[in-house]
Amino acid sequence: MTQATETVRNGVDTERLFATLDAVTSQPEIAGFQFRARNRWIAGAHNRTVIKDFHGAGGEDTSRTEPFVLEAGEPAVLLGTDTGPNPAEHLLHALAACLTTSLVYVAAARGVRLTEVESTLEGDIDLTGALGLSKDVRNGYQGIRVTFTVSGDAPPETLREIVARARARSAVFDVVAHGVPVSVDVAGD
Amino acid sequence: MTQATETVRNGVDTERLFATLDAVTSQPEIAGFQFRARNRWIAGAHNRTVIKDFHGAGGEDTSRTEPFVLEAGEPAVLLGTDTGPNPAEHLLHALAACLTTSLVYVAAARGVRLTEVESTLEGDIDLTGALGLSKDVRNGYQGIRVTFTVSGDAPPETLREIVARARARSAVFDVVAHGVPVSVDVAGD
Protein backbone atom coordinates (compact mmCIF):
# COMPACT_ATOMS: atom_id res chain seq x y z
CA MET A 1 0.00 0.00 0.00
CA THR A 2 2.88 2.35 0.68
CA GLN A 3 4.12 1.38 -2.78
CA ALA A 4 0.92 2.61 -4.42
CA THR A 5 0.97 6.06 -2.81
CA GLU A 6 4.68 6.36 -3.64
CA THR A 7 3.93 6.41 -7.36
CA VAL A 8 3.09 10.11 -7.39
CA ARG A 9 5.92 12.20 -5.99
CA ASN A 10 6.04 16.02 -6.18
CA GLY A 11 2.88 15.80 -8.26
CA VAL A 12 4.73 13.71 -10.85
CA ASP A 13 3.56 10.19 -11.63
CA THR A 14 6.93 8.47 -11.42
CA GLU A 15 5.54 5.21 -12.77
CA ARG A 16 4.51 7.05 -15.95
CA LEU A 17 7.82 8.95 -15.93
CA PHE A 18 9.85 5.73 -15.96
CA ALA A 19 7.45 4.17 -18.49
CA THR A 20 8.02 7.22 -20.74
CA LEU A 21 11.79 6.87 -20.44
CA ASP A 22 11.51 3.15 -21.32
CA ALA A 23 9.25 3.90 -24.29
CA VAL A 24 11.62 6.56 -25.67
CA THR A 25 14.59 4.25 -25.16
CA SER A 26 12.97 1.56 -27.30
CA GLN A 27 11.44 3.99 -29.83
CA PRO A 28 13.59 7.16 -29.91
CA GLU A 29 11.55 8.59 -32.81
CA ILE A 30 8.58 9.31 -30.50
CA ALA A 31 10.76 11.91 -28.76
CA GLY A 32 10.62 14.20 -31.79
CA PHE A 33 8.38 17.15 -30.86
CA GLN A 34 7.40 20.36 -32.59
CA PHE A 35 6.01 23.21 -30.52
CA ARG A 36 4.22 26.13 -32.16
CA ALA A 37 2.97 29.63 -31.49
CA ARG A 38 0.89 32.10 -33.49
CA ASN A 39 1.30 35.77 -32.69
CA ARG A 40 -0.83 38.71 -33.80
CA TRP A 41 -0.08 42.40 -33.37
CA ILE A 42 -2.85 44.38 -31.65
CA ALA A 43 -1.50 47.97 -31.38
CA GLY A 44 1.79 49.56 -30.37
CA ALA A 45 3.68 47.21 -28.06
CA HIS A 46 0.60 45.05 -27.51
CA ASN A 47 0.63 41.70 -29.23
CA ARG A 48 -0.91 38.35 -28.42
CA THR A 49 0.20 34.74 -28.85
CA VAL A 50 -2.09 31.75 -29.15
CA ILE A 51 -0.66 28.32 -28.33
CA LYS A 52 -2.50 25.05 -28.73
CA ASP A 53 -1.41 22.38 -31.18
CA PHE A 54 1.89 20.54 -31.16
CA HIS A 55 3.40 17.44 -32.65
CA GLY A 56 4.91 14.77 -30.43
CA ALA A 57 4.90 11.18 -29.29
CA GLY A 58 4.43 10.09 -32.89
CA GLY A 59 1.55 12.32 -33.92
CA GLU A 60 -0.44 15.53 -33.58
CA ASP A 61 -1.64 16.21 -30.06
CA THR A 62 -5.39 16.09 -29.59
CA SER A 63 -5.50 16.40 -25.82
CA ARG A 64 -5.74 20.19 -25.63
CA THR A 65 -9.28 21.39 -26.10
CA GLU A 66 -8.67 25.10 -25.49
CA PRO A 67 -5.82 27.36 -26.62
CA PHE A 68 -3.57 29.26 -24.24
CA VAL A 69 -3.47 33.02 -24.84
CA LEU A 70 -0.48 35.12 -23.80
CA GLU A 71 -0.31 38.92 -23.88
CA ALA A 72 2.79 41.03 -24.34
CA GLY A 73 3.38 44.72 -23.83
CA GLU A 74 5.86 47.29 -22.65
CA PRO A 75 5.79 49.61 -19.64
CA ALA A 76 5.25 53.33 -20.19
CA VAL A 77 8.97 54.12 -20.11
CA LEU A 78 9.37 51.82 -23.13
CA LEU A 79 6.41 53.43 -24.93
CA GLY A 80 3.79 50.82 -24.12
CA THR A 81 0.73 50.67 -21.91
CA ASP A 82 1.61 47.60 -19.84
CA THR A 83 -0.72 45.24 -21.70
CA GLY A 84 1.44 42.36 -20.50
CA PRO A 85 4.97 41.52 -19.42
CA ASN A 86 7.49 42.64 -22.00
CA PRO A 87 9.12 40.04 -24.26
CA ALA A 88 12.40 40.03 -22.31
CA GLU A 89 10.43 39.38 -19.11
CA HIS A 90 8.51 36.55 -20.81
CA LEU A 91 11.90 35.01 -21.63
CA LEU A 92 12.82 35.00 -17.93
CA HIS A 93 9.55 33.21 -17.17
CA ALA A 94 10.27 30.57 -19.83
CA LEU A 95 13.70 29.99 -18.30
CA ALA A 96 12.44 29.85 -14.70
CA ALA A 97 9.59 27.51 -15.62
CA CYS A 98 11.82 25.09 -17.50
CA LEU A 99 14.51 24.91 -14.82
CA THR A 100 11.81 24.40 -12.16
CA THR A 101 9.98 21.66 -14.05
CA SER A 102 13.28 19.90 -14.78
CA LEU A 103 14.20 20.16 -11.10
CA VAL A 104 10.85 18.75 -9.94
CA TYR A 105 10.97 15.82 -12.39
CA VAL A 106 14.59 14.99 -11.50
CA ALA A 107 13.75 15.06 -7.78
CA ALA A 108 10.72 12.82 -8.38
CA ALA A 109 12.84 10.32 -10.31
CA ARG A 110 15.45 10.29 -7.53
CA GLY A 111 12.93 9.77 -4.75
CA VAL A 112 13.28 13.23 -3.22
CA ARG A 113 10.11 14.87 -1.92
CA LEU A 114 10.21 18.63 -2.39
CA THR A 115 8.34 21.06 -0.18
CA GLU A 116 9.40 24.35 -1.78
CA VAL A 117 11.02 25.47 -5.02
CA GLU A 118 11.33 29.18 -5.61
CA SER A 119 13.58 31.13 -7.92
CA THR A 120 14.39 34.74 -8.60
CA LEU A 121 15.75 35.82 -11.95
CA GLU A 122 17.54 39.01 -12.91
CA GLY A 123 18.54 39.93 -16.44
CA ASP A 124 20.74 42.91 -17.21
CA ILE A 125 20.27 44.65 -20.52
CA ASP A 126 21.71 47.82 -22.02
CA LEU A 127 19.07 49.15 -24.39
CA THR A 128 21.54 51.23 -26.39
CA GLY A 129 22.00 47.98 -28.33
CA ALA A 130 18.36 47.24 -29.18
CA LEU A 131 17.72 50.95 -29.82
CA GLY A 132 20.43 50.90 -32.47
CA LEU A 133 22.48 53.57 -30.69
CA SER A 134 25.62 51.51 -30.12
CA LYS A 135 27.30 48.91 -32.28
CA ASP A 136 29.41 47.71 -29.36
CA VAL A 137 26.46 46.72 -27.19
CA ARG A 138 24.47 43.56 -27.84
CA ASN A 139 20.69 43.77 -28.19
CA GLY A 140 19.84 41.12 -25.65
CA TYR A 141 20.61 40.41 -22.02
CA GLN A 142 24.27 40.68 -21.13
CA GLY A 143 23.76 38.15 -18.38
CA ILE A 144 21.00 36.36 -16.47
CA ARG A 145 21.23 35.25 -12.84
CA VAL A 146 18.95 32.55 -11.47
CA THR A 147 18.87 31.90 -7.72
CA PHE A 148 16.94 28.91 -6.35
CA THR A 149 15.58 28.28 -2.90
CA VAL A 150 14.81 24.56 -2.58
CA SER A 151 13.52 22.59 0.40
CA GLY A 152 12.76 18.89 0.68
CA ASP A 153 13.52 15.63 2.46
CA ALA A 154 17.13 15.44 1.29
CA PRO A 155 20.35 17.00 2.57
CA PRO A 156 21.41 20.38 1.12
CA GLU A 157 24.13 18.80 -1.03
CA THR A 158 21.57 16.47 -2.66
CA LEU A 159 19.23 19.40 -3.35
CA ARG A 160 22.13 21.36 -4.86
CA GLU A 161 23.01 18.36 -7.02
CA ILE A 162 19.38 18.21 -8.23
CA VAL A 163 19.54 21.92 -9.16
CA ALA A 164 22.74 21.22 -11.10
CA ARG A 165 21.10 18.29 -12.86
CA ALA A 166 18.07 20.44 -13.77
CA ARG A 167 20.43 23.01 -15.32
CA ALA A 168 22.15 20.23 -17.24
CA ARG A 169 18.83 18.94 -18.62
CA SER A 170 16.64 22.02 -19.14
CA ALA A 171 15.60 22.66 -22.73
CA VAL A 172 15.13 26.42 -22.29
CA PHE A 173 18.37 26.80 -20.33
CA ASP A 174 20.17 25.17 -23.25
CA VAL A 175 18.57 27.56 -25.75
CA VAL A 176 19.16 30.69 -23.66
CA ALA A 177 22.71 29.76 -22.64
CA HIS A 178 23.89 28.44 -25.99
CA GLY A 179 21.63 29.84 -28.70
CA VAL A 180 19.83 28.01 -31.49
CA PRO A 181 19.48 28.61 -35.25
CA VAL A 182 16.47 30.89 -35.84
CA SER A 183 15.16 31.70 -39.32
CA VAL A 184 12.99 34.79 -39.76
CA ASP A 185 11.14 34.95 -43.08
CA VAL A 186 8.24 36.73 -44.69
CA ALA A 187 5.40 34.53 -45.96
CA GLY A 188 5.45 34.09 -49.71
CA ASP A 189 9.18 34.70 -50.11
CA MET B 1 -3.25 69.60 -37.72
CA THR B 2 -2.15 66.64 -39.82
CA GLN B 3 1.15 66.95 -38.00
CA ALA B 4 -0.49 66.40 -34.62
CA THR B 5 -2.34 63.24 -35.58
CA GLU B 6 0.82 61.92 -37.26
CA THR B 7 2.61 61.71 -33.90
CA VAL B 8 1.06 58.35 -33.03
CA ARG B 9 1.74 55.74 -35.70
CA ASN B 10 0.94 52.03 -35.29
CA GLY B 11 -0.03 52.87 -31.73
CA VAL B 12 3.49 54.15 -31.04
CA ASP B 13 4.00 57.77 -30.03
CA THR B 14 6.80 58.57 -32.45
CA GLU B 15 7.48 61.95 -30.84
CA ARG B 16 8.19 60.15 -27.56
CA LEU B 17 10.14 57.47 -29.44
CA PHE B 18 12.49 60.04 -30.99
CA ALA B 19 12.70 61.94 -27.68
CA THR B 20 13.72 58.66 -26.00
CA LEU B 21 16.42 58.04 -28.61
CA ASP B 22 17.71 61.61 -28.09
CA ALA B 23 17.70 61.19 -24.30
CA VAL B 24 19.63 57.91 -24.47
CA THR B 25 22.11 59.41 -26.92
CA SER B 26 22.92 62.22 -24.50
CA GLN B 27 22.74 60.04 -21.37
CA PRO B 28 23.58 56.42 -22.35
CA GLU B 29 23.49 55.32 -18.69
CA ILE B 30 19.68 55.59 -18.58
CA ALA B 31 19.54 52.69 -21.05
CA GLY B 32 20.74 50.26 -18.38
CA PHE B 33 17.75 48.07 -17.45
CA GLN B 34 17.28 45.06 -15.21
CA PHE B 35 14.22 42.87 -15.69
CA ARG B 36 13.17 40.39 -13.03
CA ALA B 37 10.93 37.40 -12.45
CA ARG B 38 10.01 35.37 -9.38
CA ASN B 39 8.87 31.80 -9.91
CA ARG B 40 7.23 29.42 -7.46
CA TRP B 41 6.55 25.73 -7.93
CA ILE B 42 2.93 24.70 -7.35
CA ALA B 43 2.85 20.92 -8.07
CA GLY B 44 4.25 18.63 -10.75
CA ALA B 45 4.80 20.61 -13.95
CA HIS B 46 2.73 23.54 -12.66
CA ASN B 47 4.69 26.60 -11.65
CA ARG B 48 3.90 30.30 -11.64
CA THR B 49 5.93 33.43 -12.31
CA VAL B 50 5.18 36.87 -10.93
CA ILE B 51 6.61 39.87 -12.77
CA LYS B 52 6.35 43.46 -11.61
CA ASP B 53 9.37 45.52 -10.64
CA PHE B 54 12.26 46.43 -12.88
CA HIS B 55 15.12 48.90 -12.95
CA GLY B 56 15.54 51.30 -15.85
CA ALA B 57 15.72 54.88 -17.05
CA GLY B 58 17.90 55.68 -14.07
CA GLY B 59 15.85 54.18 -11.25
CA GLU B 60 13.34 51.65 -10.00
CA ASP B 61 10.09 51.63 -11.93
CA THR B 62 7.05 52.76 -9.95
CA SER B 63 4.55 52.83 -12.82
CA ARG B 64 3.28 49.27 -12.46
CA THR B 65 0.65 48.97 -9.77
CA GLU B 66 -0.22 45.31 -10.29
CA PRO B 67 1.99 42.30 -10.98
CA PHE B 68 1.67 40.10 -14.04
CA VAL B 69 1.16 36.41 -13.30
CA LEU B 70 2.16 33.70 -15.77
CA GLU B 71 1.38 30.00 -15.48
CA ALA B 72 3.42 27.15 -16.86
CA GLY B 73 2.59 23.48 -17.28
CA GLU B 74 3.02 20.48 -19.51
CA PRO B 75 0.51 18.53 -21.57
CA ALA B 76 -0.52 15.04 -20.48
CA VAL B 77 1.99 13.34 -22.77
CA LEU B 78 4.75 15.17 -20.89
CA LEU B 79 3.28 14.22 -17.49
CA GLY B 80 1.51 17.49 -16.74
CA THR B 81 -2.10 18.61 -16.56
CA ASP B 82 -1.94 21.54 -19.02
CA THR B 83 -1.91 24.23 -16.34
CA GLY B 84 -0.31 26.56 -18.89
CA PRO B 85 1.84 26.55 -22.00
CA ASN B 86 5.02 24.60 -21.44
CA PRO B 87 8.30 26.47 -20.95
CA ALA B 88 9.52 25.82 -24.50
CA GLU B 89 6.23 27.24 -25.82
CA HIS B 90 6.60 30.31 -23.58
CA LEU B 91 10.01 30.83 -25.18
CA LEU B 92 8.39 30.93 -28.64
CA HIS B 93 5.96 33.58 -27.35
CA ALA B 94 8.83 35.70 -25.98
CA LEU B 95 10.56 35.51 -29.36
CA ALA B 96 7.42 36.29 -31.38
CA ALA B 97 6.49 39.20 -29.11
CA CYS B 98 9.94 40.78 -29.26
CA LEU B 99 10.29 40.50 -33.03
CA THR B 100 6.79 41.93 -33.46
CA THR B 101 7.32 44.87 -31.11
CA SER B 102 10.66 45.65 -32.76
CA LEU B 103 8.98 45.51 -36.17
CA VAL B 104 6.14 47.81 -35.10
CA TYR B 105 8.52 50.37 -33.55
CA VAL B 106 10.85 50.32 -36.57
CA ALA B 107 7.90 50.83 -38.92
CA ALA B 108 6.60 53.71 -36.78
CA ALA B 109 10.01 55.38 -36.82
CA ARG B 110 10.23 55.00 -40.60
CA GLY B 111 6.77 56.39 -41.25
CA VAL B 112 5.19 53.12 -42.34
CA ARG B 113 1.62 52.47 -41.24
CA LEU B 114 1.01 48.80 -40.59
CA THR B 115 -2.39 47.15 -40.91
CA GLU B 116 -1.44 43.56 -40.04
CA VAL B 117 1.48 41.76 -38.42
CA GLU B 118 1.13 38.05 -37.82
CA SER B 119 3.72 35.40 -37.24
CA THR B 120 3.81 31.66 -36.88
CA LEU B 121 6.63 29.95 -35.03
CA GLU B 122 7.72 26.34 -35.09
CA GLY B 123 10.42 24.87 -32.90
CA ASP B 124 11.76 21.36 -33.38
CA ILE B 125 13.04 19.51 -30.36
CA ASP B 126 14.22 15.95 -29.79
CA LEU B 127 13.39 15.13 -26.18
CA THR B 128 15.92 12.31 -25.99
CA GLY B 129 18.32 15.15 -25.06
CA ALA B 130 16.35 16.70 -22.20
CA LEU B 131 15.32 13.25 -20.97
CA GLY B 132 18.99 12.35 -20.60
CA LEU B 133 18.70 9.42 -23.00
CA SER B 134 21.20 10.65 -25.59
CA LYS B 135 24.47 12.51 -25.19
CA ASP B 136 24.51 13.40 -28.88
CA VAL B 137 21.22 15.30 -28.83
CA ARG B 138 20.98 18.81 -27.38
CA ASN B 139 18.36 19.54 -24.73
CA GLY B 140 16.82 22.56 -26.43
CA TYR B 141 15.32 23.36 -29.79
CA GLN B 142 17.40 22.25 -32.73
CA GLY B 143 15.96 25.07 -34.80
CA ILE B 144 13.18 27.67 -34.73
CA ARG B 145 11.38 29.02 -37.81
CA VAL B 146 9.54 32.33 -37.69
CA THR B 147 7.31 33.31 -40.62
CA PHE B 148 5.80 36.79 -40.75
CA THR B 149 2.82 38.10 -42.65
CA VAL B 150 3.01 41.89 -42.76
CA SER B 151 0.71 44.39 -44.46
CA GLY B 152 0.93 48.17 -44.52
CA ASP B 153 1.22 51.28 -46.68
CA ALA B 154 4.65 50.43 -48.06
CA PRO B 155 5.83 48.21 -50.90
CA PRO B 156 6.66 44.56 -50.12
CA GLU B 157 10.40 45.19 -50.29
CA THR B 158 10.13 47.92 -47.65
CA LEU B 159 8.07 45.64 -45.39
CA ARG B 160 10.65 42.88 -45.84
CA GLU B 161 13.41 45.33 -44.97
CA ILE B 162 11.52 46.30 -41.79
CA VAL B 163 11.27 42.60 -40.83
CA ALA B 164 15.02 42.27 -41.38
CA ARG B 165 15.65 45.35 -39.26
CA ALA B 166 13.43 43.98 -36.47
CA ARG B 167 15.47 40.76 -36.50
CA ALA B 168 18.66 42.82 -36.32
CA ARG B 169 17.39 44.79 -33.30
CA SER B 170 15.32 42.34 -31.26
CA ALA B 171 16.61 41.66 -27.76
CA VAL B 172 15.03 38.21 -27.46
CA PHE B 173 16.10 37.18 -30.98
CA ASP B 174 19.67 38.03 -29.97
CA VAL B 175 19.43 35.90 -26.81
CA VAL B 176 17.75 32.93 -28.52
CA ALA B 177 19.99 33.01 -31.61
CA HIS B 178 23.29 33.66 -29.85
CA GLY B 179 22.93 32.67 -26.21
CA VAL B 180 23.81 34.63 -23.10
CA PRO B 181 25.74 33.79 -19.90
CA VAL B 182 23.28 32.32 -17.36
CA SER B 183 24.27 31.55 -13.77
CA VAL B 184 22.16 29.10 -11.78
CA ASP B 185 22.81 29.12 -8.04
CA VAL B 186 21.21 28.01 -4.82
CA ALA B 187 20.48 30.74 -2.27
CA GLY B 188 22.95 30.81 0.58
CA ASP B 189 25.79 29.21 -1.37
Side-chain angles (χ1 to χ4, degrees):
Chain A
M1 283 175 71
T2 310
Q3 198 68 15
T5 60
E6 284 289 316
T7 300
V8 176
R9 194 179 297 125
N10 304 328
V12 180
D13 186 334
T14 55
E15 201 169 284
R16 281 192 57 214
L17 175 58
F18 291 122
T20 301
L21 294 174
D22 287 346
V24 172
T25 301
S26 61
Q27 282 186 279
E29 64 275 15
I30 66 172
F33 276 63
Q34 181 181 88
F35 295 117
R36 303 166 188 145
R38 285 159 226 276
N39 181 280
R40 190 166 66 87
W41 171 56
I42 310 295
H46 185 198
N47 61 75
R48 180 177 292 151
T49 295
V50 174
I51 290 169
K52 183 170 184 276
D53 53 293
F54 66 89
H55 179 95
E60 282 290 304
D61 175 71
T62 55
S63 71
R64 284 181 174 163
T65 52
E66 294 296 323
F68 296 114
V69 179
L70 296 168
E71 307 283 343
E74 292 287 354
V77 70
L78 295 173
L79 309 178
T81 56
D82 256 336
T83 49
N86 79 12
E89 292 173 319
H90 276 291
L91 181 89
L92 295 182
H93 164 59
L95 178 59
C98 196
L99 285 166
T100 297
T101 300
S102 300
L103 193 165
V104 168
Y105 281 27
V106 166
R110 293 192 180 186
V112 172
R113 288 189 184 278
L114 300 167
T115 51
E116 177 196 29
V117 182
E118 293 197 359
S119 56
T120 61
L121 288 84
E122 297 175 337
D124 296 318
I125 189 166
D126 180 343
L127 293 182
T128 54
L131 292 172
L133 299 174
S134 170
K135 294 199 171 195
D136 302 325
V137 175
R138 70 179 297 172
N139 300 325
Y141 285 122
Q142 295 172 314
I144 297 173
R145 288 175 300 286
V146 185
T147 308
F148 273 99
T149 303
V150 184
S151 307
D153 68 356
E157 59 269 28
T158 303
L159 297 175
R160 270 197 298 276
E161 158 52 19
I162 289 172
V163 171
R165 183 74 182 168
R167 178 183 181 282
R169 283 288 151 240
S170 161
V172 175
F173 174 86
D174 175 28
V175 169
V176 173
H178 304 123
V180 55
V182 182
S183 68
V184 180
D185 294 304
V186 176
D189 279 9
Chain B
M1 282 175 73
T2 309
Q3 199 68 15
T5 58
E6 285 289 317
T7 299
V8 176
R9 193 178 298 123
N10 304 329
V12 180
D13 186 335
T14 55
E15 202 169 283
R16 282 191 58 214
L17 175 58
F18 291 122
T20 301
L21 294 173
D22 288 346
V24 172
T25 301
S26 62
Q27 281 187 279
E29 66 274 16
I30 65 172
F33 275 63
Q34 181 181 88
F35 295 116
R36 301 165 190 146
R38 285 159 226 276
N39 181 280
R40 189 165 68 86
W41 171 55
I42 310 296
H46 185 198
N47 61 75
R48 181 177 291 151
T49 295
V50 174
I51 291 170
K52 184 170 184 276
D53 55 291
F54 65 88
H55 179 95
E60 281 291 303
D61 176 70
T62 56
S63 70
R64 284 181 176 165
T65 53
E66 294 295 323
F68 296 113
V69 179
L70 297 168
E71 307 284 343
E74 292 288 354
V77 69
L78 296 173
L79 309 179
T81 56
D82 256 335
T83 49
N86 80 12
E89 291 173 321
H90 276 290
L91 181 89
L92 295 182
H93 165 60
L95 178 60
C98 196
L99 285 166
T100 298
T101 300
S102 300
L103 193 164
V104 168
Y105 281 27
V106 166
R110 294 193 179 186
V112 173
R113 288 189 185 279
L114 300 168
T115 51
E116 176 196 31
V117 182
E118 293 197 358
S119 56
T120 60
L121 288 84
E122 297 174 338
D124 295 319
I125 188 166
D126 179 344
L127 294 182
T128 53
L131 292 173
L133 299 175
S134 170
K135 293 199 170 194
D136 302 326
V137 175
R138 69 178 298 172
N139 300 325
Y141 284 122
Q142 294 172 314
I144 297 173
R145 288 174 301 285
V146 185
T147 308
F148 272 99
T149 303
V150 184
S151 307
D153 68 356
E157 60 268 29
T158 303
L159 297 175
R160 271 197 298 274
E161 157 54 19
I162 290 172
V163 171
R165 184 72 182 169
R167 178 183 180 281
R169 283 288 151 239
S170 161
V172 175
F173 175 86
D174 176 28
V175 168
V176 174
H178 305 122
V180 54
V182 182
S183 68
V184 180
D185 295 305
V186 176
D189 279 9

